[in-house]
Amino acid sequence: MTVPLSILDLAPIAPGETVRDSFAASVALAQQAEASGYRRVWYAEHHNMATIASSATAVLIAHVASQTSTIRLGAGGVMLPNHAPLTIAEQFGTLESLHPGRIDLGLGRAPGSDQATFRALRRDPASSEHFPDDVLELQAFLAGQSRVPGVNATPGAGTRVPLYILGSSLFGARLAAALGLPYAFASHFAPDALHQAVAIYRREFTPSEQLERPHVIAGVNAIVTDDRDDAAAQLARVKRARLVMLLRQSGRIPLDRQFGDDELDYLLTTPAGAQVQSMATYTGLGTGADVSDYIEDFARAADVDEVIVAHASLETAARLRSVELLADAHARVAA
């Protein structure tokens, strides 16, 4: 059987476009995904990144859900240390009430930002240490079984929005297994612990009310085109853009510093570019058939039940074409 496909959308702001353009592209992408048979589209919480517009995940999900009809939509994820569990229960309880049976809630332990931004969010630096307890508190709010006397989530109570634990380390794998929740591994940008984390999760999994058997989602990058050379050229542009973003975010270069392609290609071969190269470890590249085969091989090797694809093309039209081509090729394999 072919592995089910989903999509991770970071709501990227394409070169020369605006945040509003990015949101229009996210709607178009979800509509294309719905028409093409993808299982779900998730949006990731990031802050203080000039090329990513998915910081307010619940708001973006509401906007996209109002312009689609069947595809599941969710956060992949909400960085719970940034929020009070009650607030997230109310937000996603609202979404589930408006769009019943279509909402997912993935939860991450990282802040999704740098330390300065974390302070701007008015969060306690130690809040990530309370992540397991916060997950249980949130789960209880959504089940209508509040762990906080006298406090209930309205909306939220009784909606039982399905929870997913996100991670790129062994901590998340063990927590998901202990709580009996699905586990999503961020191998599309942090690949190193993938196989060990999946093995631990499957070995230690305890069934729960939400989930009887382990369910693993893992991420891959993809650039799918009609021409393999075009796919390779797009990947080169993606790597250059990611390198500039990381250098600017780290404060190692001024925001207005410009680079030529040759300079960036050289930097990608140095330690400064190592993180970008690592992020591309799991990348399907080429025609629809090429990438469908790659994803099937990846799913078998990683022992995962579902693959969530980050279509990485910088240009909106190319990203939508990538979504369509991969789905068409995957459907032919399934048939």
Side-chain angles (χ1 to χ4, degrees), residues 46-93:
H46 290 283
H47 300 280
N48 196 31
M49 294 186 179
T51 59
I52 294 178
S54 55
S55 55
T57 53
V59 180
L60 182 55
I61 291 166
H63 177 61
V64 176
S66 70
Q67 299 183 66
T68 53
S69 57
T70 58
I71 195 164
R72 296 193 68 89
L73 301 167
V78 164
M79 300 298 105
L80 198 51
N82 294 344
H83 310 276
L86 176 61
T87 298
I88 299 305
E90 291 169 342
Q91 290 177 1
F92 280 79

Side-chain angles (χ1 to χ4, degrees), residues 142-166:
L142 292 170
Q145 301 166 356
S146 175
R147 295 161 66 98
V148 183
V151 178
N152 292 286
T154 306
T159 58
R160 298 185 183 274
V161 176
L163 302 183
Y164 298 73
I165 299 297
L166 278 57

Side-chain angles (χ1 to χ4, degrees), residues 94-267:
T94 299
L95 289 169
E96 175 64 22
S97 298
L98 290 169
H99 307 283
R102 295 181 58 200
I103 303 301
D104 299 327
L105 177 49
L107 301 169
R109 184 172 63 126
S113 61
D114 55 76
Q115 290 303 311
T117 306
F118 195 63
R119 288 192 295 273
L121 289 166
R122 300 295 193 269
R123 304 308 297 159
D124 180 348
S127 57
S128 61
E129 298 175 9
H130 308 298
F131 180 67
D133 289 334
D134 286 347
V135 172
L136 291 173
E137 185 175 309
L138 171 58
Q139 186 178 47
F141 278 134
L142 292 170
Q145 301 166 356
S146 175
R147 295 161 66 98
V148 183
V151 178
N152 292 286
T154 306
T159 58
R160 298 185 183 274
V161 176
L163 302 183
Y164 298 73
I165 299 297
L166 278 57
S168 58
S169 69
L170 307 187
F171 176 89
R174 290 196 167 99
L175 179 62
L179 298 181
L181 295 176
Y183 180 52
F185 191 90
S187 40
H188 62 291
F189 75 88
D192 292 347
L194 170 63
H195 295 276
Q196 188 179 4
V198 172
I200 287 173
Y201 170 72
R202 291 194 180 280
R203 183 173 67 245
E204 299 183 5
F205 179 82
T206 302
S208 68
E209 183 178 350
Q210 179 178 326
L211 193 66
E212 293 183 359
R213 294 180 297 276
H215 185 83
V216 180
I217 304 172
V220 301
N221 302 288
I223 297 177
V224 191
T225 65
D226 296 292
D227 178 81
R228 292 172 180 166
D229 290 339
D230 180 32
Q234 286 193 44
L235 179 60
R237 294 198 296 275
V238 167
K239 287 182 175 180
R240 293 173 193 137
R242 287 180 177 174
L243 179 58
V244 171
M245 180 186 70
L246 290 174
L247 290 173
R248 286 175 176 164
Q249 185 184 12
S250 68
R252 296 163 69 181
I253 62 171
L255 294 179
D256 58 354
R257 172 72 160 89
Q258 300 297 315
F259 293 91
D261 288 350
D262 290 343
E263 290 179 283
L264 291 171
D265 289 341
Y266 169 73
L267 287 172

